[in-house]
Amino acid sequence: MPSAPELLRSFTTDPDEPLRQGRYQSPLRDERLAAWLGASLGILFTVCFVTGMYSHIQQHPLTWLPIPAGPAGLFRITQGVHVACGIAILPVLLAKLWLVWPRLLSWPPLRQVADVVERLGVLVLVAAGIFMVFSGLADIALWYPWRFSFPAAHYWMAWIAMGAIIAHLGAKWAITRRTFARRDRRRLDEADPVLRTEAEPPHDGLTRRGFLTTVAAASGVLTAATIGQTLPELRDLAILAPRKASEHPINRSAADAGVVRSIRSPTYRLAVIGQVTHPLEFDLDQLLAMALHQAVLPIACVEGWSYSATWRGVRLRDLLEMAGAAPHASCEVVSLQRDSIYARSFVDHQQAHAATTLLATHLDGARLSPDHGYPLRLIAPNRPGVNQTKWVTEVVVT
Amino acid sequence: VKRNQGAGFWVSAAVGWLVILWGLRGLLHHHIDTRPAQLVKYVVAGLVGHDAILAPAVLIGGVAVARLVRGPARAYVQSVIFIAGCILLYAFPDIRDYAKIQHMPTALPYNYTAQSLLAIAIVIAGVALLATVRRLLRGAGSAPRSQDRPRSTS
């Protein structure tokens, strides 16, 4: 029967020794493999962070940073990349955590002040990383087991995850530089005396290179099985996508929004009010009798699906001009739905005056269905789907 | 290569912790939306779920595979298990159909149990094809496997 100190020694690891030590003898436990996976995670999380910030700014506009109206498909690309990278992270994160898990059992856990700083940072990094991937994947599957607001929690945790990545970068900079520097770089199966890693011994099972290839393949399979929700060319491969983009998905039905009666009401009107010289009001027949314009624009959801369609309707800038709004006026488009944070959508002056920004009445040649925003919905270039307000009843010029 | 040392470590730690504190401030400042008390439960659950349940289970599973599967087949089995595990983890909420309470007619249009099995079957077929091609190439006198080559131990 081993004594308690012997037992402790046999399961714990020495933080000053290489990853492969003690009971953890897999030849895959190699500092350079960890660096490869860490660098991949750093890049993927950074791409998600940057594209996520763009999505946040789109949904929480800054007065000093107007969102340009072009290119029309920019948000479709950034959000498609955001969700695709978020899905691709899963295998990389799991592989990296498996590889470095014995470090969790370092004993003694803290030998110097720097250990406290580094290990606290790693704790935050792992916790935030797992939360970001879990909450993001749950969101695209429309699974909300929590009561906090997903966008708010995901946004602020992203800052925490990014901070932890920056802190971790300094701790692992020397190893990462050694792994990727062209000079003196060793093959993955060779020993590296500077890093004190051993050569890969002959063994059954995945080689170090094979392990990296497997992780890349797992990310590739998940990406290939889902990216078709935004890339039309790969739609046939999207067997695990949460939406079929070809079916023109929606995120809220008319019934769920409680507007089924009001959109069919004979008293329905569109009002153009606010800072205008001539407030206007139109019924549906008057709107349909106006000059209708056509635009091919994408609708891109924050959950990563998107599709392009031909929209027809009244140009928003024509309405603003008729009402006597200032040439650089912005506006808010207001929906008939009342109990949603997306019931009002801000349109900055660049998008409001774009030639392709419409209050659409038709989608792909047919009148809008109630679920797609009948009688009138906003469709503008380079905007998230949640801001393309449906069931529009007011334009408030600001 | 020493760890935790040099000005770079302390500078990145300082910058990183400033960003972390900015995020924490945001979580607390917007507490009506973020509900920090509940959020912490999810964060801790994720941490414990991985470090105390998933990671040890994977280690035990790895030992079992090493004992049950010997020879060149082990690498292919490990690849299939890893990729299939990732597919199932990703598809778990879709398979469970948690979104049904949202009443969205266009959400989760597939049978995700069947689709996940289809994806895993494609992965197995791909890995089996790769194994066969490699075996044929080796039989035709191509280069030996990398793990059979002599290695530098310097």
Side-chain angles (χ1 to χ4, degrees):
Chain A
M1 184 80 181
S3 64
E6 281 171 348
L7 206 60
L8 186 69
R9 253 200 313 277
S10 71
F11 280 99
T12 55
T13 58
D14 183 336
D16 288 322
E17 291 300 313
L19 274 168
R20 189 174 181 227
Q21 57 173 290
R23 280 182 175 265
Y24 308 97
Q25 283 299 317
S26 167
L28 302 181
R29 296 203 191 278
D30 178 270
E31 270 67 10
R32 290 160 303 173
L33 266 187
W36 268 96
L37 294 170
S40 307
L41 279 175
I43 292 168
L44 288 168
F45 267 114
T46 303
V47 170
C48 283
F49 183 78
V50 172
T51 50
M53 285 301 127
Y54 183 63
S55 175
H56 181 81
I57 292 169
Q58 282 268 12
Q59 293 174 68
H60 302 85
L62 303 167
T63 49
W64 53 270
L65 188 63
I67 303 290
L74 181 60
F75 184 79
R76 180 184 199 180
I77 294 169
T78 60
Q79 197 60 19
V81 168
H82 181 83
V83 173
C85 286
I87 292 171
I89 281 177
L90 177 67
V92 190
L93 181 66
L94 291 174
K96 167 84 176 179
L97 291 178
W98 171 80
L99 201 61
V100 299
W101 187 77
R103 289 276 188 242
L104 178 70
L105 308 174
S106 289
W107 196 266
L110 311 166
R111 289 184 176 171
Q112 48 188 338
V113 178
D115 284 351
V116 181
V117 176
E118 183 187 348
R119 287 181 74 92
L120 266 179
V122 169
L123 179 75
V124 174
L125 179 60
V126 175
I130 292 172
F131 177 83
M132 292 304 288
V133 174
F134 165 71
S135 61
L137 293 181
D139 175 60
I140 62 172
L142 305 171
W143 177 33
Y144 304 104
W146 51 72
R147 281 183 311 213
F148 50 78
S149 153
F150 165 76
H154 201 67
Y155 172 75
W156 289 110
M157 283 297 281
W159 282 101
I160 293 174
M162 208 59 217
I165 287 171
I166 294 169
H168 194 60
L169 194 64
K172 299 298 174 191
W173 180 249
I175 294 173
T176 308
R177 198 175 58 178
R178 172 77 189 171
T179 302
F180 294 106
R182 290 192 177 184
R183 234 177 107 198
D184 299 330
R185 185 167 54 190
R186 303 297 178 99
R187 285 204 327 254
L188 270 178
D189 57 353
E190 290 180 325
D192 188 327
V194 176
L195 294 176
R196 293 191 295 139
T197 58
E198 295 171 22
E200 188 172 6
H203 62 101
D204 290 339
L206 283 169
T207 61
R208 292 171 185 170
R209 190 175 288 274
F211 181 66
L212 279 186
T213 307
T214 297
V215 174
S219 290
V221 166
L222 288 181
T223 305
T226 51
I227 193 78
Q229 66 177 339
T230 194
L231 265 186
E233 295 81 5
L234 296 178
R235 271 182 192 165
D236 292 341
L237 287 180
I239 58 176
L240 293 176
R243 303 299 181 92
K244 264 189 196 170
S246 57
E247 290 183 352
H248 292 179
I250 55 154
N251 248 4
R252 196 166 198 200
S253 66
D256 195 34
V259 296
V260 172
R261 280 192 184 174
S262 51
I263 60 176
R264 300 278 186 200
S265 166
T267 61
Y268 168 82
R269 297 286 185 275
L270 170 72
V272 183
I273 53 176
Q275 294 182 17
V276 294
T277 51
H278 329 289
L280 301 171
E281 202 171 271
F282 304 90
D283 64 23
L284 195 51
D285 290 335
Q286 289 170 317
L287 284 168
L288 290 170
M290 290 174 68
L292 299 184
H293 294 263
Q294 195 160 291
V296 177
L297 287 175
I299 190 151
C301 182
V302 289
E303 284 143 21
W305 56 264
S306 63
Y307 63 88
S308 227
T310 303
W311 306 88
R312 196 146 66 93
V314 184
R315 274 205 302 227
L316 183 58
R317 76 178 187 190
D318 292 347
L319 290 174
L320 297 184
E321 197 178 323
M322 285 169 69
H328 294 292
S330 304
C331 62
E332 266 194 330
V333 175
V334 183
S335 171
L336 283 165
Q337 64 173 333
R338 297 297 176 204
D339 62 336
S340 166
I341 56 170
Y342 301 113
R344 303 177 77 91
S345 178
F346 176 74
V347 187
D348 71 36
H349 67 274
Q350 292 194 31
Q351 293 192 330
H353 293 271
T356 52
T357 297
L358 305 177
L359 290 181
T361 52
H362 292 73
L363 164 60
D364 281 343
R367 287 294 294 278
L368 289 174
S369 66
D371 285 350
H372 278 289
Y374 175 90
L376 210 57
R377 77 168 300 164
L378 174 68
I379 184 78
N382 188 23
R383 282 170 77 81
V386 287
N387 286 1
Q388 310 276 34
T389 307
K390 298 193 281 192
W391 314 297
V392 173
T393 185
E394 269 180 12
V395 174
V396 183
V397 179
T398 53
Chain B
V1 174
K2 303 251 181 179
R3 61 192 184 90
N4 292 351
Q5 288 190 354
F9 169 76
W10 291 107
V11 169
S12 71
V15 174
W17 276 98
L18 276 178
V19 178
I20 291 170
L21 290 175
W22 166 254
L24 284 173
R25 180 206 158 273
L27 280 179
L28 295 174
H29 184 71
H30 298 274
H31 61 92
I32 293 171
D33 290 329
T34 59
R35 301 192 182 212
Q38 206 204 25
L39 184 63
V40 164
K41 286 182 192 166
Y42 275 85
V43 172
V44 172
L47 205 56
V48 172
H50 176 270
D51 286 350
I53 299 171
L54 183 63
V58 169
L59 283 179
I60 293 166
V63 171
V65 169
R67 290 198 176 158
L68 291 172
V69 187
R70 302 212 175 260
R74 188 190 295 169
Y76 300 113
V77 170
Q78 287 173 328
S79 286
V80 166
I81 290 174
F82 181 75
I83 300 173
C86 289
I87 289 172
L88 291 175
L89 264 181
Y90 161 79
F92 175 73
D94 300 335
I95 291 170
R96 298 284 299 154
D97 200 11
Y98 289 125
K100 67 183 171 197
I101 59 167
Q102 306 281 342
H103 306 297
M104 265 192 266
T106 57
L108 306 190
Y110 302 112
N111 175 341
Y112 288 89
T113 306
Q115 297 291 83
S116 301
L117 292 176
L118 173 64
I120 291 169
I122 293 169
V123 169
I124 291 171
V127 171
L129 182 68
L130 181 71
T132 308
V133 169
R134 278 189 172 174
R135 195 168 177 177
L136 289 174
L137 286 176
R138 270 206 303 278
S142 63
R145 285 180 303 146
S146 64
Q147 67 189 47
D148 297 334
R149 286 201 298 269
R151 284 182 176 77
S152 159
T153 52
S154 58

